Amino acid sequence: MQGAFSRETALADFILPHALPGALNGRDGIKLLSLDCFDTLLWRDTHAPKDLFGALPETTVTQRQWAEERARLAAELREKRGEVSIEEIYRELLPNGCADMRTAGVRNEIDAEAAHCFAFRPTVELMRTAKSRGLQVIIVSDTYLNPDQLRGLIAAAAGDDVAALIDRVFCSATYGKAKSEGLYEFVLEELTVKPHEILHIGDNKRADVGGVAPFGVHTLHLKQFAESTEQRLRLEAAVGTMLHPAASEIALTHQPHRAALSVEEPVIADQAEAFGFATLGPVLHGFDRWLADEAEALQAKHGGKVHHVFLMRDGHLPQLMYQARSGQAGHAVEISRFTATASTFVDAEAVQRYLEIEVEGDPVVVARQMLLPKDEVEAIVKKLPRGNAAIRGQAFFNAITTPSRIRRIVKASTAFAERLVAHVRRTVDPQPGDTLMLVDLGYNGSVQNEIEALLVRSFGVHIAGRYLLLREQFRAGYDKRGFIGHDHYDGYTLEALCTNVAVLEQLCTAAQGSVVDYAADGAAIRKGNSIKSRQSAIRERIQAGAIRFARTQAEITIRSASVNHAAMWRRGAAAVMGRLMYMPVAEELAVLGQFEHDVNLGVDNTVALFDSEIARKGLRQRGLFYMKGADRMYLPAELQGEGLALKLSLLAHKRFGLALKYADFIDQTISLPLIVADGRDVSTGNVTATPTHDGYYIAPIPVGDCRFSVGIQFGQLFDYVQVDSVTFMPVDRFLSDKAVADNGETEGNPSLEGMTQAAPHLFHCADEYSFMMVPPPPRQGDRQMMLAVVFRPIARREAKPAPATHNVLLANGASA
């Protein structure tokens, strides 16, 4: 219990939130408990106090801020007073308004505060302990509200029973001085207890310790958050602002999870569980609250019974969160994209339609999806022509759509659909008129698209898909909704969040293989789990942390005022999710570093979530555009250590669908002088090197069909230069948007002329004639190749000064 006061830690001057209820332990001489108000007793759902001003009607955040600045300046100039009242602020905000308008403005602001404030339960427990011991409890707050207004706010936000625990309220606006300016002198004058009989606690060290302790009062600084938590919350607020541009009468940021983080995170020793608690917990808790509202709405609309049907594997953690909240099990139904699609080939048209969509896919995967035997798949693929993709695709289409093969596909699919229905009956056993609420992470609702007609036909039920994140690629027309979906977000925002959804899938999934078939009685048949057991163990600890968050959140706040919980949790969850996807912190990446992603298509393919070494090389070669075509699933994680600006650029590009190209990032170039030789002729020229990242440039030098040696005349430009890589690659691969495992790169084998290596990759050029000569690689037929030189200037060569003009004139006898 770090920070709690005891005789052994009598000199501690701070306290952590979870220790607040015991703050009076060991302090026998205390007769009065003094508390700060905001962020000590009352906490807000927003990141910063100013963010709440967004909820004010007909007033912008900046207008409200400017009004307060003008009011404070006027008070300082006219009366040497550092604090102002809210009425003075609204006189500045509405200089031409009548008294009634200003009164209504004040009322609106206090109401907005009440809607976004709640009492922090550990502080309330401390207050109740104080009252049980016969102590007085007072509030001493730096605020523009007066005591009646502040007490009324506490009652409105937290309830009359909490307000009744307070004996007196002292506000800086009443005395014109903040705590750091001596407010407590006036407080002591009005109290009947001595300073050493008072314990004051507050979150602002300068005000609540530095401004109070000099009067002889015992003080404790309430440390709301660890530095790492504060950083995450700042980043979440920044991401939330980008995802949710300022809107009328809505707070700028929403962080309803702040209180839970402050209390529980410091006492979680396991890094994986802490990650699940602080990051996954708020997202899945908000989703679970929304699912409860949706189930209630579906019940009212359709009648019958609403079944919570969690689609495995990704529905595993949502089911655990549901169980923790409701005490009910729900239904874990194992339907994958593979099994859902396998049940849909009801006729030749369905087969042809699927082939039209997937004709450019891996023919092995496509053929196996249509339930063709392995040996038949191998025979089909073996006969396909090589080379042109369109010709190969047409040949594959023709091979599959022979009448006899289509008949066998339809027959196998019909039988498969019957087994899938048996699985649903075995697991859920719905009755006609019931609603199957399919719960999944999302993000297209592909499983629902494939099986809805089958389930409706088989059971006579209503199907409702409810997803954490919904971004439909086409308008299916089914009953689908997303906690974060089209109802509240534009397509670019949803696409930005879906781009890296694989990390969320890996955190929420069950530690089991994907279902590939069903027995006749409906029992699921799974493929082997391709994910390492160590990864599964880490994931289970992360999921335990998320469940721990839900239980903590349910207990930590005391709230009386009405608030739009659904909108608050949605916006808060979107900010947390966006921050994880684009600005993960080091502690999170340490947990996720060994994770792989299972592509879940009935095959054993896994891909790494991220690879920092590939990113380092890619950034230096291509800048942020190295990501185009990469098959890793969590690319922003690779940018850790490369600076916040790069992450913000990536998020902005995705969030707003910015039509930027590589050329738009080039604001300076280097003309790099070259020597080109083919064994007979030697010529000179220049190539334009363009910036990539972290001061590096890339010089793409065509070498044709590998006949040319290239001399790079670094000495003309630099005294020192850092050469990161010298590689040959096919021109078409360099220009392609698609990343491949083998891009045809071969290392160059340069020789140095007048250049010496001073350190790894660092070279000193003796004079302007120094150069690096790179012979060509072995020829690859007529394939056109290029030499990619990635370098960073370290010290540029100073140009030799030209002869002074006046010296020439003097030599010719001219006068100066």
Side-chain angles (χ1 to χ4, degrees), residues 45-339:
D45 292 319
T46 60
H47 178 69
K50 69 176 180 60
D51 296 345
L52 186 139
F53 298 153
L56 301 179
E58 300 179 355
T59 300
T60 68
V61 173
T62 50
Q63 286 173 336
R64 172 59 178 77
Q65 288 180 290
W66 289 330
E68 185 169 343
E69 290 175 5
R70 290 194 297 269
R72 290 186 182 278
L73 180 61
E76 177 65 32
L77 291 175
R78 295 169 186 169
E79 304 176 29
K80 303 298 181 184
R81 180 163 47 88
E83 293 291 285
V84 298
S85 69
I86 193 171
E87 287 80 11
E88 290 174 297
I89 293 171
Y90 272 81
R91 278 199 292 272
E92 296 292 341
L93 181 63
L94 302 169
N96 299 313
C98 64
D100 289 344
M101 290 177 61
R102 293 170 182 165
T103 300
V106 170
R107 184 71 264 160
N108 288 336
E109 181 166 330
I110 294 175
D111 289 345
E113 286 274 14
H116 286 275
C117 284
F118 58 87
F120 188 52
R121 188 174 294 276
T123 306
V124 175
E125 291 179 7
L126 171 61
M127 295 166 67
R128 288 176 175 149
T129 297
K131 300 303 287 185
S132 70
R133 297 183 182 184
L135 275 63
Q136 297 180 59
V137 177
I138 67 171
I139 298 295
V140 183
S141 177
D142 287 342
T143 177
Y144 35 72
L145 302 180
N146 64 44
D148 289 339
Q149 290 168 334
L150 184 56
R151 183 183 286 275
L153 171 59
I154 294 170
D160 291 332
D161 56 336
V162 172
L165 297 172
I166 302 168
D167 294 295
R168 295 193 62 179
V169 176
F170 297 87
C171 298
S172 61
T174 304
Y175 301 94
K177 286 188 176 182
K179 279 174 280 189
S180 62
E181 299 170 326
L183 169 61
Y184 225 86
E185 179 181 1
F186 300 103
V187 174
L188 291 172
E189 289 176 356
E190 299 191 30
L191 297 177
T192 58
V193 297
K194 298 176 181 178
H196 67 271
E197 297 173 330
I198 300 172
L199 172 63
H200 178 79
I201 302 175
D203 70 290
N204 187 312
K205 188 172 184 178
R206 178 171 176 266
D208 295 301
V209 176
V212 177
F215 291 98
V217 174
H218 297 284
T219 59
L220 284 174
H221 172 216
L222 173 62
K223 288 188 174 182
Q224 281 186 290
F225 304 106
E227 290 184 5
S228 59
T229 306
E230 288 183 347
Q231 181 190 32
R232 283 200 318 272
L233 290 170
R234 282 196 305 273
L235 293 174
E236 287 168 13
V239 171
T241 300
M242 294 183 72
L243 297 180
H244 310 111
S248 176
E249 299 185 32
I250 298 177
L252 290 188
T253 61
H254 292 78
Q255 293 183 336
H257 55 299
R258 292 171 63 86
L261 297 192
S262 71
V263 167
E264 198 73 5
E265 193 176 4
V267 300
I268 302 177
D270 178 64
Q271 194 172 41
E273 185 177 358
F275 171 37
F277 181 91
T279 302
L280 210 58
V283 175
L284 271 294
H285 176 69
F287 182 40
D288 181 63
R289 293 176 61 110
W290 177 75
L291 287 174
D293 294 340
E294 289 297 299
E296 185 177 336
L298 288 169
Q299 173 73 46
K301 181 177 181 180
H302 298 291
K305 183 176 182 180
V306 177
H307 299 272
H308 287 69
V309 179
F310 296 91
L311 297 179
M312 297 293 114
R313 297 175 292 170
D314 296 347
H316 177 62
L317 183 54
Q319 183 183 25
L320 295 181
M321 300 292 282
Y322 169 72
Q323 291 172 346
R325 173 181 56 81
S326 69
Q328 302 177 41
H331 306 284
V333 173
E334 297 187 51
I335 304 177
S336 64
R337 281 182 295 164
F338 177 82
T339 61

Side-chain angles (χ1 to χ4, degrees), residues 339-340 343-344 346 413-414 416-418 420-421 424 448-461 463 478:
T339 61
S343 70
T344 62
V346 296
S413 180
T414 301
F416 196 101
E418 291 174 356
L420 189 154
V421 168
V424 175
Q448 182 183 356
N449 291 345
E450 305 295 355
I451 66 170
E452 170 143 341
L454 174 64
L455 296 181
V456 171
R457 183 172 66 249
S458 301
F459 296 106
V461 294
I463 305 297
Y478 294 143

